[in-house]
Amino acid sequence: MRHYPVQYMPLLALALLTLAPAAAPASEDALSRIADLRPVAGWSVLPESTAYGSGDGLAGIYNGGYEEYTRAGVVDALRRIYRNGEEYVEVTVHAMQSARSAREFLADRYRMEKGGAAPDDPGWARFTASGAGSTTAYAVGGVYYITVVSYHDGERGEAQTGPFVRALSANAAKLAGRPE
Amino acid sequence: MAGLACGGVAVGGCGGASDPAPDAGLRQPRTLGRGRGRVWVGHSGDPASALRAAVAAAGGLGFIPEGGHVVLKPNVAWSRNPQQAANTDPRILAAMIALCREAGAGKITVFEHTIDRPSEQVLAVSGIAAAARGAGADLVYTTAERDFVPVAVTRGKLLTRDTLARTVRDADVFINMPKAKHHSQTGLTLGLKNLMGVIFNRQAWHSGPDLHQYIADYATAVPIDMTVMDASRILLTNGPKGPGKTREPNEVIVSFDPVAADAYACGLFGLSPSDVAYVARAGELGLGESDPANIAIERA
């Protein structure tokens, strides 16, 4: 290994930081720890339902819609289905380029779903939207953006998505080493 | 996925020297030249009734040979239920199977190549498996490369060859049954784009230079005998997968002209065919009529 004079070390470190990618993929393993095998009692991962993708590989999750996610700053994502008897819930965990891009994407989704500006509250990190036959819970935790989809609307849909989004948000906070 | 994203002009099987020769002998549509620039639109809160009315107005399914094999291709890419409007409504599929049977079809196959996995869950949640099997059709779904064959695309501007599901190639009749819905990359998913479900490697098109041209080019190679488009409930936002906002036009669109069907459907979203480039380009290739001014709409 080549040795550099101590006085050049800060410059070298700066150069290495400049060369480093802005946001490396969080890795399938990290995302799997957020969407873990049994985040909610009674629910388990449906075999063969897990899909992971980064960059253009997000097409494996969103098909042609993936560019909307990469443009918004999604670096990689993991999608899986949880099953409880004949009930299903779909979870997708996205690692974003930054906590800011995660919050901006959440706000964008809020505008799409609710038709108005997102709450102007630094602590705002979740919302739920329910339409015909569908409920989606949206959340951010640090650089992670999480969606949970139930195939029911109204109270039943919220009863399914609520425990998942709380559990996954807690897992994301644990991964980031900070309180939820 | 075993497929390769090659880019360029021969994306499905990459066109390498070791690939089998593409099948240049695909049949012509049985309905070729019939009803160019005409669409029949059934309107009802009951989508099966809307379908029957539109098919009857179009003159029925007399083009199905007695005892022939009919393949139906709904859009069932996603693990979504019918209310979420990301897939073809199973009630329309079941009614279409019944109509094909009444018209003399000997065998009816519903084919899909799902994106979400596992396919069994997608086909269950969407209601498509129950609809197909309940109506007596075979359900064929695959993600295996061996189930797709190379085909030549001789009329394309960019695409020269790709793949086609063997089930579709071997059919006597092929009826495309898309869902009309929003798509964040192409604007809309309609009938021509639904053909991405009969190729093996979708990813190659998405990462290629011109998705719209690929879609238009490929449609010239596939013998589409009829388009039956589900616009009973349409997805307006967050497509192609949703969930998103939906609206209920309560329409089923039938046409022998795959371009005219798509061109008409653009209007349901407040768009014109020029806003959805693959529709306009398919018109330029001579596949059908894309100019709304030249499309005759008959409501049933």
Side-chain angles (χ1 to χ4, degrees), chain B residues 79 143 261:
Chain B
S79 176
T143 57

Side-chain angles (χ1 to χ4, degrees), chain B residues 28-151:
Chain B
Q28 290 291 308
R30 292 175 179 278
T31 54
L32 188 66
R34 178 176 169 182
R36 183 182 168 93
R38 295 179 73 186
V39 298
W40 293 267
V41 181
H43 184 277
S44 172
D46 170 21
S49 298
L51 169 72
R52 289 190 199 98
V55 169
L61 303 177
F63 58 89
I64 296 177
E66 187 68 30
H69 180 200
V70 178
V71 172
L72 307 176
K73 168 61 179 72
N75 185 337
V76 199
W78 306 108
S79 176
R80 295 287 180 253
N81 66 29
Q83 289 175 287
Q84 292 171 315
N87 299 320
T88 301
D89 191 304
R91 292 171 294 180
I92 297 174
L93 180 70
M96 194 65 201
I97 293 167
L99 286 174
C100 290
R101 188 79 70 202
E102 291 166 17
K107 180 180 178 185
I108 302 163
T109 300
V110 175
F111 176 85
E112 183 51 302
H113 175 195
T114 70
I115 296 171
D116 276 344
R117 309 284 165 82
S119 298
E120 292 82 357
Q121 191 264 352
V122 172
L123 294 164
V125 164
S126 63
I128 290 298
R133 290 173 177 143
D138 293 337
L139 182 59
V140 173
Y141 51 94
T142 181
T143 57
E145 189 167 12
R146 65 178 177 274
D147 293 326
F148 296 81
V149 295
V151 291

Side-chain angles (χ1 to χ4, degrees), chain B residues 205-226:
Chain B
W205 286 20
H206 284 300
S207 53
D210 193 339
L211 174 61
H212 287 279
Q213 194 63 50
Y214 283 155
I215 294 169
D217 286 356
Y218 185 70
T220 65
V222 181
I224 308 165
D225 296 297
M226 177 182 255

Side-chain angles (χ1 to χ4, degrees), chain A residues 85-165:
Chain A
E86 294 304 308
E87 295 290 318
Y88 300 99
V89 161
E90 180 189 60
V91 163
T92 311
V93 181
H94 314 71
M96 308 284 293
Q97 286 175 339
S98 66
R100 179 177 175 177
S101 59
R103 283 188 62 83
E104 286 177 351
F105 200 37
L106 184 72
D108 177 73
R109 301 292 94 171
Y110 186 92
R111 281 190 294 275
M112 181 188 77
E113 291 279 14
K114 308 284 189 181
D120 184 17
D121 173 1
W124 177 73
R126 293 177 197 166
F127 75 94
T128 300
S130 193
S134 184
T135 298
T136 306
Y138 299 84
V140 292
V143 300
Y144 299 107
Y145 163 74
I146 298 163
T147 60
V148 182
V149 177
S150 162
Y151 300 92
H152 301 285
D153 51 25
E155 290 180 5
R156 190 172 175 189
E158 293 195 23
Q160 286 189 341
T161 58
F164 274 93
V165 79

